[in-house]
């Protein structure tokens, strides 16, 4: 009986760890779910190997244990690779706030509550994804945020919405690929004498064929063509350790805070993964990116970001 349990545990750990390791040999969208969760699945594989050792002390279980620890360590190194350096007190002398939140397009019962939160947030700029639940609240929101892009004549859909207390110098809304329409917003806003480019992006799920990688390949050149300070917030539906996300960050030179707050799944709380991100490039610096602890009925946690711009 002990031998049977040992074999079952080793088979499960082997299948899991080999699936995770496949990313180092081949890049295929079918592995996307496992790639974003590499840290979690690696630790689960380690737990299976340790459990197997309780039933039988054998070299193969030890090998699985070492392999799993190696995958977990490398996942943490990848999470840190494109992290921004620490912000000094001098850099943070003048700061601004950005609220970004996927509120879930079927979350209508909490639309008024989310609106109250937006109005009380004191954020300079707000970026909402799957914004349909607050569409009927836009007139009330306009009292505090008179400038907006999305959920209007520019977009038949009400998915991406960017709100600002300050007027836009330029604004643009377009599609990233053919799967979804109007999920990219660019607005240039004067932040006390310094124009800042605010970008909103909502990408498809990475296990929907090659659409996720295709959207990133469209988004990257757009961002590289934008001059000046830039901050990008969005629901990317993938962790920064996913191969196409790593290529995107390397190509664009964007950085993120470390550790990134977990945003999904809500039931996992702080032990989930970050699939909603805030990226920036110099001279804009991220001071803090914090999880909004109340998801208010959404399947994502929102993020409150404080940032500064070096002169």
């Amino acid at each position: 009986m002990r031998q049977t349990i040992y074999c079952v545990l080793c088979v499960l750990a082997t299948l899991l760890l080999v699936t995770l390791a496949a990313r180092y040999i081949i890049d295929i969208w079918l592995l996307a779910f496992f790639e974003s969760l590499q840290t979690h699945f690696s630790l689960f594989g380690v737990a299976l190997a340790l459990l197997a050792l309780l039933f039988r002390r054998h070299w193969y279980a030890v090998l699985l244990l070492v392999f799993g620890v190696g995958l977990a360590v490398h996942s943490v190194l990848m999470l840190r690779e494109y992290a921004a350096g620490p912000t000094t007190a001098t850099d943070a002398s003048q700061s601004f706030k950005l609220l970004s939140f996927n509120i879930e397009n079927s979350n209508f019962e909490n639309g008024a509550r989310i609106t109250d939160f937006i109005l009380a947030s004191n954020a300079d700029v707000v970026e909402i994804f799957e914004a349909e639940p607050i569409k009927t609240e836009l007139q009330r929101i306009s009292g505090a945020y008179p400038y907006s892009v999305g959920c209007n004549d520019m977009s038949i859909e009400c998915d991406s919405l960017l709100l600002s207390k300050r007027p836009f110098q330029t604004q643009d809304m377009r599609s990233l690929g053919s799967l979804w329409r109007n999920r990219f917003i660019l607005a240039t806003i004067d932040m006390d004498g310094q124009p800042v480019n605010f970008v909103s992006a909502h990408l498809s799920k990475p296990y929907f064929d090659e659409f996720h990688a295709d959207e990133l390949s469209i988004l990257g050149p757009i961002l590289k063509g934008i001059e000046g300070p830039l901050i990008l917030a969005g629901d990317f539906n993938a962790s920064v350790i996913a191969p196409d996300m790593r290529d995107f960050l390397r190509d664009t030179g964007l950085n993120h805070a470390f550790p990134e707050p977990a945003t999904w799944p809500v039931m996992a709380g702080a032990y989930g993964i970050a699939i909603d991100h805030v990226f920036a490039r110099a001279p804009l610096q991220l001071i803090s990116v914090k999880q909004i602890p109340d998801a208010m009925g959404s399947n994502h946690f929102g993020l409150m970001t404080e940032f500064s711009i070096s002169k």
Side-chain angles (χ1 to χ4, degrees), residues 65-283:
L65 176 62
V66 173
F67 191 31
V69 170
L71 289 172
V73 170
H74 187 234
S75 70
V76 175
L77 293 176
M78 289 191 290
L79 287 170
R80 291 183 59 97
E81 186 170 356
Y82 297 103
T87 304
T88 65
T90 302
D91 295 330
S93 59
Q94 184 181 21
S95 64
F96 308 95
K97 288 184 178 181
L98 167 66
L99 166 63
S100 53
F101 194 0
N102 182 331
I103 63 173
E104 192 179 2
N105 55 16
S106 60
N107 190 20
F108 290 98
E109 64 271 22
N110 289 291
R113 184 182 170 203
I114 293 170
T115 298
D116 292 338
F117 176 79
I118 292 171
L119 295 175
S121 68
N122 199 33
D124 296 278
V125 176
V126 178
E127 297 182 15
I128 301 295
F129 312 97
E130 300 189 25
E132 191 72 38
I134 63 169
K135 187 173 183 179
T136 57
E137 303 282 346
L138 288 179
Q139 185 172 358
R140 182 159 68 101
I141 292 173
S142 66
Y145 294 92
Y147 308 99
S148 67
V149 184
C151 295
N152 53 27
D153 293 340
M154 292 181 66
S155 172
I156 298 173
E157 306 85 355
C158 186
D159 181 276
S160 296
L161 173 66
L162 190 148
L163 306 166
S164 174
K165 292 182 176 181
R166 309 161 191 247
F168 301 130
Q169 293 183 340
T170 64
Q171 63 185 75
D172 182 26
M173 188 172 200
R174 66 179 81 170
S175 302
L176 295 172
S178 58
L179 185 60
W180 304 104
R181 294 191 300 175
N182 297 319
R183 287 190 166 190
F184 169 89
I185 298 175
L186 166 63
T188 306
I189 304 172
D190 189 312
M191 307 299 289
D192 294 347
Q194 173 65 65
V196 176
N197 298 290
F198 289 86
V199 181
S200 162
H202 185 187
L203 274 66
S204 60
K205 293 177 175 59
Y207 37 86
F208 282 2
D209 210 324
E210 299 287 348
F211 289 108
H212 189 268
D214 292 342
E215 290 165 358
L216 286 175
S217 69
I218 294 171
L219 178 60
I222 295 174
L223 299 182
K224 290 197 292 183
I226 299 172
E227 297 181 356
L230 183 147
I231 183 166
L232 162 64
D235 175 7
F236 286 79
N237 278 304
S239 166
V240 293
I241 65 177
D244 58 353
M245 291 290 290
R246 287 170 54 77
D247 291 341
F248 169 74
L249 292 174
R250 180 171 56 250
D251 186 45
T252 57
L254 294 169
N255 294 308
H256 57 83
F258 180 84
E260 288 187 288
T263 60
W264 179 90
V266 168
M267 66 182 69
Y271 299 99
I273 62 172
I275 64 172
D276 302 85
H277 305 284
V278 179
F279 301 127
R281 77 174 179 217

Side-chain angles (χ1 to χ4, degrees), residues 292-306:
I292 298 168
D294 187 353
M296 290 175 275
S298 175
N299 57 352
H300 292 241
F301 287 109
L303 297 172
M304 182 66 76
T305 301
E306 185 179 2

